[in-house]
Amino acid sequence: MGCLLALKDDDPDITLENAELAHKVSGGEDGYPDGFSGITRAQSNDDPALTDAHVVGGTAWFFSRDENVQAFDWLFVDEAGQVGLANMAAMGRAARNIVLVGDPRQLPQVIQGAHPNPANLSCLDWMLGEHATVPDDRGIFLPTSRRMHPDVCGFISEQVYEGRLTSHPDTAHQCVTGTALPEAGAFWVPVPHEENAQIAQEEVAAIGETVIELLGGSWTEKDGSTRPMREADIIVVAPYNAQVNALRDALPLGVRVGTVDKFQGQEAPVCLVSMTASSAEETSRGMEFLFSLNRINVAVSRAKGLALVFGAPRLREAKCDTVEQMQLVNTLCALGKYFWKRRQHLKRNTARWTTVSAELITEMSLQHEYLRPAGKRTSSRLGRGNPSEGAGILKK
């Protein structure tokens, strides 16, 4: 369908009328709208349409067939970060030129079993080597996000994309207003709890309070239009199915809840992330799973305007045995640092915000006493806030 949209632009070589597009589908529900035309959908690998078409879409199984060896000029591999080297070697025979399209900093390929290096890598990871983003001599890095508000993108860019990712100027309009929450950005929200591994009812309660607060506010799109917040505007992400089920039971039906695997490729004005485990030692699948940079990246970057990461304070105090583990924990710690730096910036540049010291910021009580408007501050402290991480802003 993307090819058809591209053909709407004037092209001297090919038009919508003489384009021949074919897609190998498995049959039944193929994802196309009812009555859709313009693409021949073939249910058999032997369908002549797959041989005659100018552009063919299919899976690795189709392009690995012997009859397709060198049958195409170009092979574009989508989501190459999830395509293994073996599959790439098999289907790479089909074309004289190969273009890998994808993001190796999102969820990796699913591997069943243990494979020696480099067979355990995706084709994109193998090509990039030690680089987090594609070097100029190996490909093209698309540096502009058209989804994330600059304050969300800033965190993601520094922690994941070597500072190379920026937001399109229009995304600066995206924000949540009319609530006691920040209007936009990525924030760490401490929720004290102990001895939780796969279910944290404290975080369920805190997220439930936050959803209620959000539904009383408004959302502004990148074009400047404003409307009331809706349940469908909120995504809630948790690492474990048990916590997902607990959140689903507690939240309105229209709020989307799931693991990060479910939401890759999706977006919403607001994303709420539940870390669930009380400490790194209590994680059921290990620190590398819970603190995975790829998973944090996918979760937070779903947000068009506001991302809140709920977690026990002890997670950011995890004992690390390797440099790699230190890097993982540092991502959570950076949420606090980024929040603090942005607040200082706003204090200097606008009179619309009031800076509040860390002594007055609660560590997310279940009574929803975090980020209260100025004049309604509380001095209660439920955690061990670090002044270098806790300075915040509250709207006048």
PDB file of all heavy atoms in Angstrom, residues 316 336-337 339-340 343-344 356-363 371 385-393:
ATOM      1  N   ARG A 316      16.978   1.817  40.851  1.00  0.00           N
ATOM      2  CA  ARG A 316      18.063   2.698  40.419  1.00  0.00           C
ATOM      3  C   ARG A 316      19.264   2.632  41.366  1.00  0.00           C
ATOM      4  O   ARG A 316      20.241   3.354  41.177  1.00  0.00           O
ATOM      5  CB  ARG A 316      17.559   4.136  40.307  1.00  0.00           C
ATOM      6  CG  ARG A 316      16.404   4.269  39.327  1.00  0.00           C
ATOM      7  CD  ARG A 316      16.313   5.614  38.692  1.00  0.00           C
ATOM      8  NE  ARG A 316      16.149   6.720  39.635  1.00  0.00           N
ATOM      9  CZ  ARG A 316      16.005   7.981  39.260  1.00  0.00           C
ATOM     10  NH1 ARG A 316      16.013   8.299  37.974  1.00  0.00           N
ATOM     11  NH2 ARG A 316      15.850   8.927  40.161  1.00  0.00           N
ATOM     12  N   GLY A 336      15.862  10.721  35.621  1.00  0.00           N
ATOM     13  CA  GLY A 336      15.873  11.751  36.653  1.00  0.00           C
ATOM     14  C   GLY A 336      16.762  12.923  36.277  1.00  0.00           C
ATOM     15  O   GLY A 336      16.393  14.081  36.436  1.00  0.00           O
ATOM     16  N   LYS A 337      17.923  12.644  35.768  1.00  0.00           N
ATOM     17  CA  LYS A 337      18.863  13.698  35.398  1.00  0.00           C
ATOM     18  C   LYS A 337      18.286  14.576  34.293  1.00  0.00           C
ATOM     19  O   LYS A 337      18.387  15.787  34.332  1.00  0.00           O
ATOM     20  CB  LYS A 337      20.186  13.084  34.933  1.00  0.00           C
ATOM     21  CG  LYS A 337      20.972  12.373  36.018  1.00  0.00           C
ATOM     22  CD  LYS A 337      22.216  11.705  35.428  1.00  0.00           C
ATOM     23  CE  LYS A 337      22.962  10.912  36.487  1.00  0.00           C
ATOM     24  NZ  LYS A 337      24.131  10.201  35.912  1.00  0.00           N
ATOM     25  N   PHE A 339      15.140  15.062  33.577  1.00  0.00           N
ATOM     26  CA  PHE A 339      14.039  15.833  34.153  1.00  0.00           C
ATOM     27  C   PHE A 339      14.571  17.048  34.886  1.00  0.00           C
ATOM     28  O   PHE A 339      14.094  18.164  34.710  1.00  0.00           O
ATOM     29  CB  PHE A 339      13.253  14.924  35.099  1.00  0.00           C
ATOM     30  CG  PHE A 339      12.237  15.632  35.953  1.00  0.00           C
ATOM     31  CD1 PHE A 339      11.080  16.146  35.397  1.00  0.00           C
ATOM     32  CD2 PHE A 339      12.437  15.760  37.306  1.00  0.00           C
ATOM     33  CE1 PHE A 339      10.141  16.776  36.177  1.00  0.00           C
ATOM     34  CE2 PHE A 339      11.503  16.395  38.101  1.00  0.00           C
ATOM     35  CZ  PHE A 339      10.357  16.907  37.542  1.00  0.00           C
ATOM     36  N   TRP A 340      15.591  16.857  35.673  1.00  0.00           N
ATOM     37  CA  TRP A 340      16.134  17.961  36.450  1.00  0.00           C
ATOM     38  C   TRP A 340      16.727  19.037  35.555  1.00  0.00           C
ATOM     39  O   TRP A 340      16.491  20.224  35.734  1.00  0.00           O
ATOM     40  CB  TRP A 340      17.222  17.437  37.398  1.00  0.00           C
ATOM     41  CG  TRP A 340      17.867  18.510  38.206  1.00  0.00           C
ATOM     42  CD1 TRP A 340      17.366  19.148  39.283  1.00  0.00           C
ATOM     43  CD2 TRP A 340      19.164  19.082  37.968  1.00  0.00           C
ATOM     44  NE1 TRP A 340      18.245  20.078  39.752  1.00  0.00           N
ATOM     45  CE2 TRP A 340      19.359  20.063  38.966  1.00  0.00           C
ATOM     46  CE3 TRP A 340      20.164  18.863  37.024  1.00  0.00           C
ATOM     47  CZ2 TRP A 340      20.524  20.817  39.033  1.00  0.00           C
ATOM     48  CZ3 TRP A 340      21.326  19.611  37.088  1.00  0.00           C
ATOM     49  CH2 TRP A 340      21.492  20.575  38.094  1.00  0.00           C
ATOM     50  N   ARG A 343      14.049  21.101  33.858  1.00  0.00           N
ATOM     51  CA  ARG A 343      13.370  22.023  34.758  1.00  0.00           C
ATOM     52  C   ARG A 343      14.203  23.282  34.993  1.00  0.00           C
ATOM     53  O   ARG A 343      13.698  24.365  35.059  1.00  0.00           O
ATOM     54  CB  ARG A 343      13.112  21.337  36.097  1.00  0.00           C
ATOM     55  CG  ARG A 343      12.287  20.066  36.010  1.00  0.00           C
ATOM     56  CD  ARG A 343      10.867  20.268  35.559  1.00  0.00           C
ATOM     57  NE  ARG A 343      10.694  20.489  34.151  1.00  0.00           N
ATOM     58  CZ  ARG A 343      10.697  19.548  33.220  1.00  0.00           C
ATOM     59  NH1 ARG A 343      10.889  18.301  33.534  1.00  0.00           N
ATOM     60  NH2 ARG A 343      10.497  19.837  31.965  1.00  0.00           N
ATOM     61  N   GLN A 344      15.518  23.120  35.118  1.00  0.00           N
ATOM     62  CA  GLN A 344      16.359  24.275  35.298  1.00  0.00           C
ATOM     63  C   GLN A 344      16.302  25.180  34.072  1.00  0.00           C
ATOM     64  O   GLN A 344      16.306  26.396  34.162  1.00  0.00           O
ATOM     65  CB  GLN A 344      17.803  23.822  35.570  1.00  0.00           C
ATOM     66  CG  GLN A 344      17.952  23.043  36.867  1.00  0.00           C
ATOM     67  CD  GLN A 344      17.519  23.855  38.070  1.00  0.00           C
ATOM     68  OE1 GLN A 344      17.917  24.997  38.234  1.00  0.00           O
ATOM     69  NE2 GLN A 344      16.674  23.276  38.901  1.00  0.00           N
ATOM     70  N   VAL A 356      10.453  23.872  42.167  1.00  0.00           N
ATOM     71  CA  VAL A 356      10.207  23.343  43.499  1.00  0.00           C
ATOM     72  C   VAL A 356      11.397  22.490  43.909  1.00  0.00           C
ATOM     73  O   VAL A 356      11.885  21.692  43.124  1.00  0.00           O
ATOM     74  CB  VAL A 356       8.927  22.482  43.514  1.00  0.00           C
ATOM     75  CG1 VAL A 356       8.656  21.964  44.923  1.00  0.00           C
ATOM     76  CG2 VAL A 356       7.754  23.305  43.028  1.00  0.00           C
ATOM     77  N   SER A 357      11.898  22.639  45.095  1.00  0.00           N
ATOM     78  CA  SER A 357      13.068  21.879  45.518  1.00  0.00           C
ATOM     79  C   SER A 357      12.726  20.420  45.682  1.00  0.00           C
ATOM     80  O   SER A 357      11.566  20.029  45.825  1.00  0.00           O
ATOM     81  CB  SER A 357      13.595  22.425  46.844  1.00  0.00           C
ATOM     82  OG  SER A 357      12.751  22.018  47.898  1.00  0.00           O
ATOM     83  N   ALA A 358      13.763  19.609  45.679  1.00  0.00           N
ATOM     84  CA  ALA A 358      13.571  18.164  45.818  1.00  0.00           C
ATOM     85  C   ALA A 358      12.947  17.820  47.153  1.00  0.00           C
ATOM     86  O   ALA A 358      12.293  16.787  47.283  1.00  0.00           O
ATOM     87  CB  ALA A 358      14.915  17.455  45.684  1.00  0.00           C
ATOM     88  N   GLU A 359      13.128  18.662  48.178  1.00  0.00           N
ATOM     89  CA  GLU A 359      12.564  18.373  49.490  1.00  0.00           C
ATOM     90  C   GLU A 359      11.038  18.375  49.451  1.00  0.00           C
ATOM     91  O   GLU A 359      10.393  17.801  50.312  1.00  0.00           O
ATOM     92  CB  GLU A 359      13.054  19.425  50.498  1.00  0.00           C
ATOM     93  CG  GLU A 359      14.553  19.400  50.737  1.00  0.00           C
ATOM     94  CD  GLU A 359      14.987  18.103  51.377  1.00  0.00           C
ATOM     95  OE1 GLU A 359      14.251  17.587  52.236  1.00  0.00           O
ATOM     96  OE2 GLU A 359      16.061  17.605  51.009  1.00  0.00           O
ATOM     97  N   LEU A 360      10.441  19.037  48.455  1.00  0.00           N
ATOM     98  CA  LEU A 360       8.989  19.144  48.410  1.00  0.00           C
ATOM     99  C   LEU A 360       8.341  18.181  47.426  1.00  0.00           C
ATOM    100  O   LEU A 360       7.141  18.144  47.304  1.00  0.00           O
ATOM    101  CB  LEU A 360       8.593  20.582  48.034  1.00  0.00           C
ATOM    102  CG  LEU A 360       9.028  21.651  49.037  1.00  0.00           C
ATOM    103  CD1 LEU A 360       8.601  23.028  48.545  1.00  0.00           C
ATOM    104  CD2 LEU A 360       8.424  21.381  50.401  1.00  0.00           C
ATOM    105  N   ILE A 361       9.169  17.418  46.697  1.00  0.00           N
ATOM    106  CA  ILE A 361       8.615  16.450  45.759  1.00  0.00           C
ATOM    107  C   ILE A 361       8.431  15.116  46.475  1.00  0.00           C
ATOM    108  O   ILE A 361       9.374  14.537  46.988  1.00  0.00           O
ATOM    109  CB  ILE A 361       9.558  16.255  44.562  1.00  0.00           C
ATOM    110  CG1 ILE A 361       9.706  17.571  43.798  1.00  0.00           C
ATOM    111  CG2 ILE A 361       9.049  15.163  43.636  1.00  0.00           C
ATOM    112  CD1 ILE A 361       8.452  18.018  43.090  1.00  0.00           C
ATOM    113  N   THR A 362       7.229  14.617  46.531  1.00  0.00           N
ATOM    114  CA  THR A 362       7.027  13.304  47.135  1.00  0.00           C
ATOM    115  C   THR A 362       7.480  12.244  46.167  1.00  0.00           C
ATOM    116  O   THR A 362       7.594  12.482  44.980  1.00  0.00           O
ATOM    117  CB  THR A 362       5.533  13.078  47.465  1.00  0.00           C
ATOM    118  OG1 THR A 362       4.840  12.937  46.256  1.00  0.00           O
ATOM    119  CG2 THR A 362       4.960  14.210  48.269  1.00  0.00           C
ATOM    120  N   GLU A 363       7.706  11.036  46.662  1.00  0.00           N
ATOM    121  CA  GLU A 363       8.185   9.944  45.824  1.00  0.00           C
ATOM    122  C   GLU A 363       7.012   9.068  45.372  1.00  0.00           C
ATOM    123  O   GLU A 363       7.043   7.852  45.443  1.00  0.00           O
ATOM    124  CB  GLU A 363       9.216   9.116  46.595  1.00  0.00           C
ATOM    125  CG  GLU A 363      10.449   9.880  46.993  1.00  0.00           C
ATOM    126  CD  GLU A 363      11.522   9.769  45.937  1.00  0.00           C
ATOM    127  OE1 GLU A 363      11.655   8.691  45.355  1.00  0.00           O
ATOM    128  OE2 GLU A 363      12.223  10.745  45.684  1.00  0.00           O
ATOM    129  N   LEU A 371       3.871  15.954  42.002  1.00  0.00           N
ATOM    130  CA  LEU A 371       3.691  17.060  41.067  1.00  0.00           C
ATOM    131  C   LEU A 371       2.366  17.780  41.275  1.00  0.00           C
ATOM    132  O   LEU A 371       1.561  17.929  40.365  1.00  0.00           O
ATOM    133  CB  LEU A 371       3.813  16.559  39.630  1.00  0.00           C
ATOM    134  CG  LEU A 371       5.188  16.060  39.225  1.00  0.00           C
ATOM    135  CD1 LEU A 371       5.120  15.453  37.835  1.00  0.00           C
ATOM    136  CD2 LEU A 371       6.199  17.182  39.224  1.00  0.00           C
ATOM    137  N   GLY A 385      14.883  10.921  48.039  1.00  0.00           N
ATOM    138  CA  GLY A 385      15.150  11.715  46.857  1.00  0.00           C
ATOM    139  C   GLY A 385      16.536  12.324  46.866  1.00  0.00           C
ATOM    140  O   GLY A 385      17.038  12.783  47.888  1.00  0.00           O
ATOM    141  N   ASN A 386      17.161  12.333  45.724  1.00  0.00           N
ATOM    142  CA  ASN A 386      18.464  12.952  45.539  1.00  0.00           C
ATOM    143  C   ASN A 386      18.257  14.354  44.992  1.00  0.00           C
ATOM    144  O   ASN A 386      17.649  14.516  43.943  1.00  0.00           O
ATOM    145  CB  ASN A 386      19.290  12.111  44.541  1.00  0.00           C
ATOM    146  CG  ASN A 386      20.690  12.652  44.380  1.00  0.00           C
ATOM    147  OD1 ASN A 386      20.954  13.822  44.643  1.00  0.00           O
ATOM    148  ND2 ASN A 386      21.596  11.785  43.935  1.00  0.00           N
ATOM    149  N   PRO A 387      18.693  15.396  45.692  1.00  0.00           N
ATOM    150  CA  PRO A 387      18.452  16.750  45.214  1.00  0.00           C
ATOM    151  C   PRO A 387      18.946  16.977  43.804  1.00  0.00           C
ATOM    152  O   PRO A 387      18.410  17.792  43.066  1.00  0.00           O
ATOM    153  CB  PRO A 387      19.224  17.619  46.224  1.00  0.00           C
ATOM    154  CG  PRO A 387      19.274  16.797  47.461  1.00  0.00           C
ATOM    155  CD  PRO A 387      19.390  15.364  46.981  1.00  0.00           C
ATOM    156  N   SER A 388      19.982  16.253  43.389  1.00  0.00           N
ATOM    157  CA  SER A 388      20.503  16.457  42.042  1.00  0.00           C
ATOM    158  C   SER A 388      19.602  15.844  40.995  1.00  0.00           C
ATOM    159  O   SER A 388      19.733  16.126  39.816  1.00  0.00           O
ATOM    160  CB  SER A 388      21.893  15.823  41.911  1.00  0.00           C
ATOM    161  OG  SER A 388      21.803  14.411  41.990  1.00  0.00           O
ATOM    162  N   GLU A 389      18.647  15.001  41.424  1.00  0.00           N
ATOM    163  CA  GLU A 389      17.747  14.354  40.477  1.00  0.00           C
ATOM    164  C   GLU A 389      16.296  14.788  40.665  1.00  0.00           C
ATOM    165  O   GLU A 389      15.471  14.508  39.830  1.00  0.00           O
ATOM    166  CB  GLU A 389      17.821  12.834  40.612  1.00  0.00           C
ATOM    167  CG  GLU A 389      19.172  12.260  40.333  1.00  0.00           C
ATOM    168  CD  GLU A 389      19.188  10.770  40.516  1.00  0.00           C
ATOM    169  OE1 GLU A 389      18.179  10.207  40.965  1.00  0.00           O
ATOM    170  OE2 GLU A 389      20.226  10.167  40.219  1.00  0.00           O
ATOM    171  N   GLY A 390      15.973  15.458  41.772  1.00  0.00           N
ATOM    172  CA  GLY A 390      14.561  15.626  42.117  1.00  0.00           C
ATOM    173  C   GLY A 390      13.953  16.965  41.853  1.00  0.00           C
ATOM    174  O   GLY A 390      12.761  17.136  42.058  1.00  0.00           O
ATOM    175  N   ALA A 391      14.735  17.995  41.476  1.00  0.00           N
ATOM    176  CA  ALA A 391      14.127  19.299  41.263  1.00  0.00           C
ATOM    177  C   ALA A 391      13.117  19.214  40.139  1.00  0.00           C
ATOM    178  O   ALA A 391      13.384  18.656  39.093  1.00  0.00           O
ATOM    179  CB  ALA A 391      15.205  20.341  40.930  1.00  0.00           C
ATOM    180  N   GLY A 392      11.932  19.801  40.353  1.00  0.00           N
ATOM    181  CA  GLY A 392      10.881  19.672  39.363  1.00  0.00           C
ATOM    182  C   GLY A 392      10.209  20.982  39.084  1.00  0.00           C
ATOM    183  O   GLY A 392      10.550  22.017  39.631  1.00  0.00           O
ATOM    184  N   ILE A 393       9.219  20.936  38.203  1.00  0.00           N
ATOM    185  CA  ILE A 393       8.458  22.130  37.886  1.00  0.00           C
ATOM    186  C   ILE A 393       6.999  21.876  38.147  1.00  0.00           C
ATOM    187  O   ILE A 393       6.491  20.778  37.947  1.00  0.00           O
ATOM    188  CB  ILE A 393       8.632  22.539  36.411  1.00  0.00           C
ATOM    189  CG1 ILE A 393       8.280  21.375  35.490  1.00  0.00           C
ATOM    190  CG2 ILE A 393      10.005  23.052  36.125  1.00  0.00           C
ATOM    191  CD1 ILE A 393       8.132  21.778  34.066  1.00  0.00           C
TER     192      ILE A 393
END
